[in-house]
Amino acid sequence: MAGERDARGVRGLRGGRLALCTAVVLCATGLLGGTATAAQRAPAPSPPPDGGARHLDEVRKEIEGLYRAAERATDAYNAAEEQVQLQQKKIVELARTIVAAQGRLAVLKRQAGALASAQYRAGGIPPEAKLVLNADPEAFLANADLVRKGQQAVKGVIGQLTHLKSDLDGYAQDASHRWEQLEADRQKKDAARKQINDKIDAAKALESRLAAKEKDRLRKLEDEQALLTQQKWLDSGALRDIRGKATEQGKKAISYATSQIGKDYVWGAVGPNTFDCSGLTLRAWQAAGRTIPRTSQEQWRQLPRVPLKEMRPGDLVIYFSDASHVGMYLGDGAIVHAPRPGRQVTITGAGSMPILGVVRPDGERTG
């Protein structure tokens, strides 16, 4: 009966064939929470019968640590990439501003030259002499007024020239600073990329030394550990009060994310064929009509946070103290996520990793 109730909950959340498939996966992997019986609980990892098994568990921990380090570096890489793109955009905007300002400067210089020439042609005789020699004193006064206006116009043009040259100096300094920042961001990006490649290569090399049977055992050990951690989370009662329902946008995001199941994790990838963890959540919420930050750390910083007990399907669960991993909550104690290199987008327990907190892409920021 518990399995039927959970299946109905998921079916109500997402509807139709997709919901039924998800419920089957959740039941088969023991992820459904709340009404789990002792028979449904994830088995504890078997005590290692020999040194080989102990060695394999050590390898698992080492590989996990290397991929976690790569994931942290991936976030640093993505953040640096965003800054590179921002600086490039600012430099282009500055270049356009400078070109426009130089055009205005050329016009003002021509105006200043014309006014100066006019003043020169009108000069040479003192105003008192002009008044005596002029047959029409009123015409002289009118001309004198025009001269004053011309002088004021010259001062105005000179003032504009001065300000414009000052602005151009500022633009040039800003552009120089932007170029320096761009180069610094590129260096950060390259350093992060090297760290990622080094960590992933080390993990792959470590895994490649295992025989085929050991690789199968390693994967089972990873799954077993995840299920054990998930069961401890369920036993804590964390899922007991979670009753939230997905919004329409949340359902769209879930539909997109779950339709990517089986696609490979590739660091820095944002689809459509491969994803990293935050690339998957980014695209899923874009499909739902919401633009969210690119990285899991920025998703944690910028999106509205909600208490775990108020979590609802479509929310993003942020993992580890450094916010270096993210998955999308599906309901019934499960998430969909892109785990790590060498693995595919899949469904797993929401409590199978240390939870930092929950954020809501379609929520309202407070405070």
Side-chain angles (χ1 to χ4, degrees):
M1 291 297 292
E4 292 176 4
R5 283 197 301 273
D6 291 327
R8 283 198 300 270
V10 177
R11 196 177 298 117
L13 166 65
R14 297 169 52 206
R17 185 172 166 222
L18 178 61
L20 183 57
C21 290
T22 303
V24 170
V25 171
L26 296 177
C27 288
T29 54
L31 298 177
L32 292 177
T35 56
T37 64
Q40 291 173 316
R41 292 183 178 184
S46 305
D50 52 38
R54 281 194 297 272
H55 168 70
L56 194 60
D57 191 51
E58 290 171 0
V59 169
R60 176 189 68 79
K61 290 177 181 177
E62 187 172 352
I63 289 174
E64 183 180 290
L66 287 167
Y67 280 127
R68 284 268 298 110
E71 198 164 48
R72 286 194 296 271
T74 297
D75 224 56
Y77 172 89
N78 288 334
E81 171 67 10
E82 282 191 342
Q83 286 303 309
V84 165
Q85 292 176 1
L86 175 63
Q87 297 301 342
Q88 288 175 333
K89 182 179 178 182
K90 289 291 185 183
I91 288 170
V92 170
E93 290 174 356
L94 274 170
R96 288 173 178 164
T97 302
I98 289 171
V99 168
Q102 287 174 334
R104 292 201 307 275
L105 185 63
V107 171
L108 286 171
K109 283 181 175 179
R110 287 196 297 270
Q111 288 178 355
L115 288 169
S117 297
Q119 271 196 320
Y120 177 78
R121 288 193 301 270
I125 301 176
E128 297 84 356
K130 287 184 180 181
L131 178 59
V132 171
L133 296 172
N134 200 305
D136 186 353
E138 290 184 3
F140 167 78
L141 292 174
N143 289 334
D145 186 53
L146 287 173
V147 168
R148 282 196 298 273
K149 289 180 179 178
Q151 289 173 337
Q152 290 172 354
V154 170
K155 289 180 181 178
V157 169
I158 291 173
Q160 290 181 58
L161 276 169
T162 303
H163 287 303
L164 190 54
K165 285 181 178 179
S166 176
D167 288 344
L168 277 168
D169 288 341
Y171 296 149
Q173 290 176 5
D174 194 5
S176 177
H177 171 72
R178 294 287 180 184
W179 277 112
E180 291 172 1
Q181 190 62 49
L182 176 62
E183 184 58 30
D185 290 332
R186 280 176 174 160
Q187 290 177 4
K188 288 179 185 178
K189 179 179 165 183
D190 289 342
R193 187 194 343 249
K194 185 179 184 304
Q195 185 180 7
I196 292 162
N197 289 332
D198 289 348
K199 298 299 182 184
I200 291 177
D201 288 347
K204 286 181 177 178
L206 191 60
E207 199 166 356
S208 69
R209 291 198 291 268
L210 299 174
K213 288 185 179 179
E214 286 181 310
K215 288 180 181 178
D216 289 341
R217 288 171 60 198
L218 177 65
R219 187 148 194 162
K220 289 178 182 177
L221 195 61
E222 289 176 351
D223 293 341
E224 202 173 57
Q225 186 62 45
L227 287 170
L228 177 64
T229 307
Q230 167 75 357
Q231 192 58 55
K232 287 181 179 178
W233 183 68
L234 294 176
D235 288 345
S236 73
L239 199 60
R240 188 178 301 122
D241 298 325
I242 299 176
R243 296 287 185 271
K245 302 296 182 182
T247 62
E248 288 305 312
Q249 282 189 312
K251 291 176 184 178
K252 290 177 182 178
I254 289 170
S255 178
Y256 180 93
T258 52
S259 68
Q260 311 310 312
I261 289 173
K263 292 185 178 180
D264 289 337
Y265 177 110
V266 173
W267 75 266
V270 292
N273 299 318
T274 57
F275 298 88
D276 65 11
C277 65
S278 57
L280 178 66
T281 54
L282 170 75
R283 292 302 187 212
W285 273 100
Q286 278 184 345
R290 288 267 180 164
T291 298
I292 64 174
R294 166 66 182 91
T295 68
S296 57
Q297 290 176 338
E298 287 305 310
Q299 290 170 3
W300 173 242
R301 285 191 197 101
Q302 296 185 35
L303 295 178
R305 299 180 186 181
V306 295
L308 187 67
K309 65 181 181 180
E310 296 178 14
M311 181 167 60
R312 70 189 184 199
D315 287 347
L316 304 184
V317 186
I318 309 296
Y319 292 97
F320 304 106
S321 60
D322 55 6
S324 58
H325 192 73
V326 60
M328 180 179 293
Y329 188 59
L330 298 177
D332 294 309
I335 61 165
V336 57
H337 74 143
R340 67 166 177 82
R343 297 291 185 260
Q344 292 73 42
V345 176
T346 189
I347 292 174
T348 192
S352 60
M353 295 168 283
I355 295 175
L356 176 62
V358 180
V359 294
R360 180 163 292 166
D362 57 345
E364 297 297 329
R365 293 190 65 83
T366 57

